[in-house]
Amino acid sequence: MAEWLHLADLSELVRRKKKRVVVAGEQIALFLVDGRVYALHDVCVHKQRSLSKGVVLGGAVVCLGHQWRFDPATGQAHDQPLCQPTYDVRVDGDRVYVNPVRRGRVGAAG
């Protein structure tokens, strides 16, 4: 069962493009990419760096640690076999809700 939590306001993401939140010990990075909000596990599957310290470039989330690029919708790393876990996101007006249950396994594609 989905447990939707209000984790940010859309106006915050419009201003900053990203935000890090922690929910019951779960580190979640929110990104605003091309008008859509995405949520990824904040700890990079490659070298355990914080993705929320990275940047959005060409529609991808780029980890500053080693420049790995992730598809924000699926978490799939470009040209790598690893996948960053993601979370379901729902936007209602200005409020951004996330289901804090991870989709995908750390390091596994698909």
Side-chain angles (χ1 to χ4, degrees), residues 29 50 69-70 75 77 85-86 106 108:
S50 173
R69 300 168 55 93
F70 296 94
T86 60
V106 172

Side-chain angles (χ1 to χ4, degrees), residues 29-102:
L30 301 173
F31 292 94
L32 181 64
V33 181
D34 297 330
R36 293 196 62 186
V37 179
Y38 299 96
L40 294 97
H41 185 56
D42 192 41
V43 181
C44 179
V45 292
H46 177 222
K47 291 290 183 178
Q48 292 73 51
R49 301 281 180 100
S50 173
L51 280 185
S52 61
K53 292 182 179 175
V55 297
V56 174
L57 186 62
V61 173
V62 181
C63 178
L64 287 183
H66 291 91
Q67 311 304 308
W68 277 34
R69 300 168 55 93
F70 296 94
D71 180 319
T74 65
Q76 180 63 52
H78 291 256
D79 298 326
Q80 303 293 335
L82 298 178
C83 192
Q84 189 71 22
T86 60
Y87 305 87
D88 290 326
V89 174
R90 180 169 55 94
V91 177
D92 185 6
D94 187 52
R95 297 169 68 91
V96 176
Y97 295 89
V98 174
N99 178 348
V101 176
R102 290 185 197 177

